[in-house]
Amino acid sequence: MSKQTEVKILPVGDCALLVEFGREVNEKLNDRVRALCDAVLAAGYPWLEDVVPAYASLLVSWEAGATDFTAASAAVEHLLAVLSERSSEQKRIWAIPVCYEGEFAPDMADMEQLCGLSAAEIIRLHSGRDYKIYMLGFLPGFAYLGGLDKKIHAPRLQTPRVRIEAGSVGIGGAQTGIYPLASPGGWRLIGKTPLPLYDPDRAEPIFYQAGDFVRFLPISAKAFDHLAADVAAGRWQPQLCDGEVAR
């Protein structure tokens, strides 16, 4: 079966279409989503309003009256016919320091019981790989990360917290992520980063994007405080990791 026959292009209201590459969550499908997203943006269609990548689909929208589904889907089909994947592209891996200690990890003890692992082993597994950002959503800068080790999958809390502090790192089911803003939430909290993942006053309010990778770097509570002070004083800048994706 060819890539073209696998893909579905569906209308979404009068001013958008959805390109579905499948229903699975995996890196290969997401690479194709990102490749099409880049191709649509590079094409410079005058009718294009926005593109929104997700795990295995891409939403393409236009202003009312600027085009229609027939013309837009034909343009997308043309791009699909010549689409190349991004797998050979150099990857951006963002360093995210995380303290997994004490008050920053209120659900670590529960995670130990649920997974049958020590806190040290949970930390090793959680920080021992690079996570692809499949998409952004829910909150500004909330990155949906793929690749969590199955040994530390854990169900969400039965009763969500009313407030989770910004920077909290959690696990919910087969996913892990960081809360960029204070919000309610039901993920199990195992750590916290002092980094401001979303800052509306920054030139780039969100410094990473879908298709990038995140690497969690364990730090002590003392190092957390030092880094938080650097952030408050304006001495911190987003950092990229050297080397390829850890496997």
Side-chain angles (χ1 to χ4, degrees):
M1 183 179 291
S2 69
K3 291 180 181 179
Q4 284 71 33
T5 56
E6 293 173 0
V7 177
K8 295 180 180 179
I9 302 178
L10 308 170
V12 180
D14 296 328
C15 300
L17 60 80
L18 185 71
V19 186
E20 286 190 347
F21 287 89
R23 294 298 181 92
E24 299 178 13
V25 177
N26 64 57
E27 189 170 332
K28 186 173 181 180
L29 284 183
N30 193 251
D31 281 342
R32 294 172 66 188
V33 171
R34 293 300 310 166
L36 180 60
C37 181
D38 290 347
V40 171
L41 291 172
Y45 298 122
W47 46 263
L48 182 66
E49 183 175 51
D50 198 10
V51 287
V52 182
Y55 281 114
S57 63
L58 181 72
L59 183 74
V60 179
S61 65
W62 54 88
E63 294 184 5
T67 189
D68 56 28
F69 173 76
T70 300
S73 60
V76 169
E77 286 177 351
H78 172 73
L79 295 177
L80 286 169
V82 297
L83 192 65
S84 61
E85 296 182 14
R86 297 159 52 100
S87 57
S88 61
E89 184 177 286
Q90 185 176 2
K91 297 176 175 64
R92 296 199 307 176
I93 309 168
W94 295 100
I96 306 293
V98 175
C99 181
Y100 295 92
E101 300 175 8
E103 63 180 306
F104 299 135
D107 296 319
M108 185 64 80
D110 287 342
M111 285 290 297
E112 290 179 284
Q113 291 188 343
L114 288 166
C115 302
L117 300 170
S118 67
E121 184 65 7
I122 291 169
I123 294 167
R124 185 189 70 80
L125 292 171
H126 188 261
S127 62
R129 58 180 60 194
D130 296 337
Y131 296 92
K132 183 174 184 180
I133 301 176
Y134 279 92
M135 65 179 184
L136 302 177
F138 170 53
L139 293 169
F142 189 94
Y144 286 87
L145 306 176
L148 182 67
D149 193 295
K150 291 182 179 180
K151 294 178 182 177
I152 53 174
H153 289 188
R156 292 166 173 79
L157 298 173
Q158 290 186 350
T159 303
R161 289 181 169 90
V162 175
R163 179 183 174 89
I164 291 177
E165 295 298 324
S168 297
V169 177
I171 289 176
Q175 298 182 98
T176 187
I178 315 165
Y179 288 82
L181 298 171
S183 90
W187 289 22
R188 296 181 186 272
L189 306 183
I190 62 168
K192 188 176 182 181
T193 180
L195 303 189
L197 302 183
Y198 172 70
D199 182 352
D201 296 324
R202 200 162 49 207
E204 290 186 63
I206 304 168
F207 57 85
Y208 46 79
Q209 63 184 17
D212 289 348
F213 287 74
V214 163
R215 180 178 299 173
F216 295 118
L217 306 178
I219 59 173
S220 67
K222 185 176 181 179
F224 181 101
D225 290 340
H226 284 311
L227 186 51
D230 287 341
V231 168
R235 294 190 296 265
W236 173 83
Q237 294 293 328
Q239 299 293 318
L240 286 167
C241 297
D242 295 329
E244 292 299 317
V245 180
R247 296 295 183 187

